[in-house]
Amino acid sequence: MSTRPSNAPVRRTLRRAGIFVAVVALVTLTGCPRGSGQDDFGTLPSITTTDPEAEADLREARAAAEAGRVAEAERGYRAFLEAHPSDPLVPVARLGLGRVLLANGDIERAIALFAQVATSEDERVAEAGRFHQGVSLHLAQRHAEALALLEPLVGRTTDPDESVLLLRTLAAAAQREGRTVLALEALDRLGEAQEIDAADRESAVEDLRRVVSESDASAIAEAYDALPRDGSAWPEVAMRAIRLAFDAGDMARVSAIVAELRQRQIPMSEELAELAV
């Protein structure tokens, strides 16, 4: 039985990640570091424009978005798309408009825009579209579709806030789909990520423990076999598995798990160790 997580952590991360910054994902998903001194459009060499008016219009819309002037940003992006429907920067404008709509709670229209961005011939732009489409699909309760888009992006983000958003969304969507192992893997990765804030790491570990404590015996058995042994998740799963095996009277399994924990020099309480006696 899977737990039913709240979307609150995902929504908080969306706000903190700067949902209005239209091109940030095009940078964070391509490995181009922030603060590199490059012009925003210079990070997308295959998406340029020869129309200075189009570039200026898009910059104005982005400036409004970055300043939190939501209505102005939406008008600016829509005006750009109407005035420059064939400009190469159209996917960037659609991405920006989609982010504004998502921040306003207009999830379905945002999904439609991100889906268009995801068809871009430029793979980096398409990847940014898939990222935002996946987050939006999760918020729209379309969790399986969200996972299909987001799983391939693990390890692709370089911006800490975007990494938190990706892994938080993966964990929440996976729980809704009953995929406990994937949820634990995402939270484990988040808890071990030294580049993100300590508070985010601690929160991920707390949520990981909650998922373990609320998962049923079959989910714990699957996680025990599937999870890597070098993270934070597997020891928590192993200790829960000991209690479940003891309650089921399976003393052979209790002894086997305790032996593996000892072999890997993973600390456990005296109470758990004594269950194997």
Side-chain angles (χ1 to χ4, degrees):
M1 178 178 177
S2 62
T3 57
R4 302 286 291 177
S6 166
N7 284 332
V10 174
R11 293 185 184 278
R12 284 197 299 271
T13 307
L14 273 169
R15 290 194 294 270
R16 191 184 62 201
I19 191 65
F20 300 118
V21 184
V23 188
V24 67
L26 299 180
V27 177
T28 59
L29 288 173
T30 58
C32 178
R34 286 182 171 181
S36 63
Q38 297 185 69
D39 181 85
D40 289 330
F41 296 110
T43 64
L44 299 170
S46 60
I47 298 189
T48 57
T49 182
T50 58
D51 185 346
E53 183 178 344
E55 184 171 340
D57 288 347
L58 186 56
R59 287 189 183 279
E60 286 183 11
R62 285 188 57 219
E66 290 171 357
R69 301 193 300 273
V70 182
E72 181 183 340
E74 182 175 348
R75 287 194 301 271
Y77 284 126
R78 291 191 185 281
F80 175 93
L81 292 170
E82 183 176 348
H84 313 285
S86 301
D87 193 271
L89 296 176
V90 162
V92 180
R94 285 175 175 158
L95 182 66
L97 178 57
R99 289 171 68 94
V100 170
L101 293 177
L102 183 59
N104 282 338
D106 194 346
I107 298 175
E108 292 301 329
R109 289 186 182 180
I111 289 172
L113 283 166
F114 295 143
Q116 288 180 293
V117 177
T119 65
S120 172
E121 294 181 359
D122 187 294
E123 177 54 27
R124 294 172 298 174
V125 178
E127 192 170 67
R130 291 193 294 273
F131 175 80
H132 287 86
Q133 186 183 4
V135 172
S136 303
L137 286 167
H138 166 63
L139 294 174
Q141 310 300 313
R142 294 160 63 181
H143 308 298
E145 294 173 74
L147 291 174
L149 291 175
L150 295 177
E151 279 191 78
L153 300 181
V154 173
R156 297 281 293 151
T157 54
T158 59
D159 176 80
D161 285 336
E162 295 288 346
S163 296
V164 172
L165 177 57
L166 172 62
L167 294 171
R168 275 287 182 193
T169 305
L170 265 179
Q175 284 181 262
R176 294 296 180 91
E177 287 296 299
R179 297 180 60 183
T180 302
V181 171
L182 179 59
L184 290 174
E185 286 175 339
L187 292 170
D188 201 358
R189 191 180 186 106
L190 191 55
E192 297 289 325
Q194 296 302 309
E195 70 274 12
I196 69 171
D197 290 342
D200 284 318
R201 296 199 303 272
E202 292 169 5
S203 177
V205 173
E206 289 176 5
D207 286 345
L208 183 154
R209 289 172 177 158
R210 176 184 55 78
V211 172
V212 170
S213 69
E214 295 177 357
S215 296
D216 61 21
S218 62
I220 292 297
E222 180 186 6
Y224 180 86
D225 292 335
L227 287 172
R229 271 40 177 171
D230 57 354
S232 300
W234 184 80
E236 296 289 338
V237 167
M239 292 178 200
R240 176 85 197 286
I242 290 173
R243 295 187 182 279
L244 290 170
F246 182 83
D247 291 343
D250 190 348
M251 299 310 297
R253 181 163 176 78
V254 170
S255 297
I257 298 172
V258 168
E260 185 169 5
L261 285 168
R262 285 173 172 161
Q263 179 185 5
R264 296 180 181 280
Q265 299 183 331
I266 295 173
M268 71 186 98
S269 68
E270 289 185 9
E271 177 195 1
L272 281 180
E274 289 174 357
L275 293 180
V277 177

